[in-house]
Amino acid sequence: MDCFASPLDERCAIQYTKGMIETKDQVEQLVRLTDKERAFDYDRDDLLAVKIPPHYAALIDGDDPADPLRRQVVPTDDELLVEHQVGLDPQDERRYSVTSRLIHRYPSRVAFLTTDVCAIHCRHCFRRRFTSSDQGPANAQQIEEAALYVAAHPEVTEILFTGGDVLTLSDQRLKEMIEAFRSRRPDLIIRLCTRTVASYPQRITDELIAMLKTFSSAPFYLLTQFNHPREVTAQAIEAVARFVDGGIPALNQTVLLRGVNDSVTVLQELCNTLLFNRIKPYYLFQGDLVQSTAHFRVPLERGLAIERELRKRLSGLAMPTYALDLPEGGGKVPLSHTYLVGKEHEGLWNFETVDGQVRTYPDPPTD
Ligand SMILES: *Cc1c(COP(=O)(O)O)cnc(C)c1O
């Protein structure tokens, strides 16, 4: 059965079309379009289509052109800018693909592209080469070849169920996918990477959690993406609480976005709100080098200054790791202000404290 051709089949991706804002006319009813927003070309199929779910649309201030939620979902003509040397596959994921849907970039973990469908189209999407590419959920054969690969690679201890968004799959499809991997690898940790808790929280039902709980041989982790405190609504909090109460810890990945959250106070509030709601801030990502997203990227020096100030203000638990996924498949590296300044002399290290003082620390005595 081809789920893309029959999206209404109950075994397929749940019906996300109801109330979705996808056309220019629909966007125009939501917000008073600015000139830059009006200049986006809604007919070009080489650009990421517009898709705003009703829950998220309701959070947008239609009168404020600078609204940080609006900026994430309503495109502007900035997306038409062509950056030379910048492509659509910044992490060279195709080169690291070991099956049609499985990316093996790091020794101990793999990423599985469960579906290209997403409940929301973020304008900063870094996987634009794949998102909404009309390929639909992974079919039985694609799941099988990925599961066999993981079975043959015991060094892989974690799998990321990503996409697209894994929770656009029906419970039944997701269950079959989990079974395919866990029947071969009962010890495999599964990360459910999803933005639905922020964009479509009604997707998180008791039935979903009950289904996940039947797989108890290894843990699941929920990986959310909240980029702004206003996304952390009562419904989103409740959705995440279902996972956490169900024994699934929650971690958040934020993308650092110009005009959305490139502010110490906004990120401070976001991280504290997440932590309070039992979501551990995990990564703060520097923008990937992907076409149509230049206007969102924050200069590294500014990102580092924000990270430095956040470290002063946030608890260790609330502090995410600022990270960059290096171009050409270089992998993720942490970015941080450097507190280790150098060596006074052999065996004596110089440090800068968080508030700028100097300290030294000696190596242990040699014998
Ligand atoms: C980010 C990523 C992972 C996971 O990396 P962690 O640092 O463990 O969160 C795994 N595979 C791919 C391809 C990734 O991009």
Side-chain angles (χ1 to χ4, degrees):
M1 182 182 54
D2 175 0
C3 268
F4 199 79
S6 358
L8 301 186
D9 187 290
E10 60 166 30
R11 286 163 48 92
C12 296
I14 38 170
Q15 301 165 40
Y16 280 104
T17 45
K18 199 159 164 281
M20 278 292 179
I21 292 169
E22 293 174 303
T23 66
K24 192 173 188 175
D25 285 347
Q26 290 168 336
V27 174
E28 204 140 29
Q29 287 174 13
L30 178 70
V31 301
R32 190 138 36 87
L33 287 177
T34 63
D35 290 346
K36 287 186 73 61
E37 287 168 337
R38 199 177 297 282
F40 178 76
D41 191 343
Y42 280 72
D43 298 322
R44 258 175 63 176
D45 55 13
D46 59 330
L47 298 170
L48 184 67
V50 170
K51 192 172 184 184
I52 313 171
H55 168 84
Y56 202 86
L59 304 175
I60 291 172
D61 178 353
D63 294 322
D64 179 7
D67 180 78
L69 276 57
R70 170 180 179 160
R71 288 186 64 105
Q72 291 181 69
V73 291
V74 177
T76 66
D77 62 353
D78 286 334
E79 290 190 35
L80 309 180
L81 176 81
V82 176
E83 285 183 284
H84 298 287
Q85 313 300 323
V86 173
L88 287 173
D89 185 13
Q91 273 88 54
D92 241 348
E93 289 187 334
R94 273 169 300 196
R95 180 152 64 93
Y96 287 99
S97 293
V98 289
T99 74
S100 66
R101 296 273 183 128
L102 196 70
I103 303 161
H104 193 181
R105 171 64 189 79
Y106 306 103
S108 63
R109 51 232 193 263
V110 289
F112 186 54
L113 304 182
T114 60
T115 174
D116 68 307
V117 180
C118 224
I120 187 170
H121 285 179
C122 304
R123 304 325 303 175
H124 54 273
C125 182
F126 81 99
R127 209 172 267 136
R128 299 172 162 246
R129 69 182 165 86
F130 181 69
T131 304
S132 192
S133 56
D134 288 3
Q135 298 177 63
N139 61 33
Q141 191 198 326
Q142 291 169 322
I143 296 171
E144 189 71 10
E145 59 181 4
L148 289 175
Y149 180 90
V150 176
H153 288 81
E155 73 275 18
V156 173
T157 55
E158 289 178 38
I159 188 166
L160 286 68
F161 276 4
T162 180
D165 195 309
V166 60
L167 291 187
T168 61
L169 300 175
S170 69
D171 289 358
Q172 178 61 28
R173 280 219 145 207
L174 179 56
K175 181 167 178 261
E176 288 164 9
M177 207 173 271
I178 297 167
E179 266 163 4
F181 288 96
R182 282 281 177 81
S183 63
R184 273 75 175 227
R185 287 288 308 276
D187 61 324
L188 189 65
I189 295 173
I190 297 177
R191 292 193 208 175
L192 301 168
C193 308
T194 184
R195 188 141 158 79
T196 55
V197 288
S199 65
Y200 209 102
Q202 57 269 52
R203 169 67 185 96
I204 318 306
T205 58
D206 289 337
E207 292 75 41
L208 170 67
I209 304 300
M211 182 275 283
L212 293 172
K213 274 177 133 174
T214 63
F215 295 95
S216 54
S217 62
F220 292 98
Y221 281 82
L222 175 71
L223 272 290
T224 62
Q225 184 193 143
F226 289 99
N227 295 324
H228 193 277
R230 271 180 37 221
E231 295 174 350
V232 193
T233 59
Q235 298 96 313
I237 289 169
E238 195 198 314
V240 174
R242 286 182 190 215
F243 283 96
V244 181
D245 291 345
I248 300 174
L251 303 160
N252 184 69
Q253 310 191 132
T254 295
V255 187
L256 182 61
L257 298 167
R258 197 167 102 202
V260 173
N261 60 15
D262 57 335
S263 137
V264 172
T265 49
V266 168
L267 287 174
Q268 181 184 9
E269 186 189 342
L270 175 65
C271 291
N272 282 329
T273 305
L274 292 171
L275 188 69
F276 189 82
N277 290 293
R278 298 182 291 172
I279 308 165
K280 160 82 184 99
Y282 176 44
Y283 276 133
L284 172 65
F285 284 122
Q286 173 67 18
D288 286 322
L289 216 52
V290 66
Q291 200 61 251
S292 291
T293 63
H295 55 295
F296 282 123
R297 272 177 243 138
V298 176
L300 215 56
E301 191 161 14
R302 185 165 154 65
L304 285 166
I306 290 173
E307 189 269 353
R308 186 179 185 183
E309 185 60 28
L310 282 176
R311 191 165 294 281
K312 278 192 210 170
R313 298 191 189 188
L314 291 174
S315 79
L317 273 182
M319 182 70 197
T321 300
Y322 181 36
L324 170 61
D325 214 336
L326 290 169
E328 296 169 59
K332 294 185 182 72
V333 289
L335 299 171
S336 174
H337 175 76
T338 314
Y339 301 93
L340 174 55
V341 184
K343 273 185 200 172
E344 181 81 21
H345 52 72
E346 195 53 42
L348 190 64
W349 299 88
N350 284 335
F351 285 87
E352 184 191 327
T353 69
V354 168
D355 29 55
Q357 297 175 10
V358 179
R359 293 287 188 279
T360 59
Y361 180 88
D363 276 331
T366 49
D367 39 29

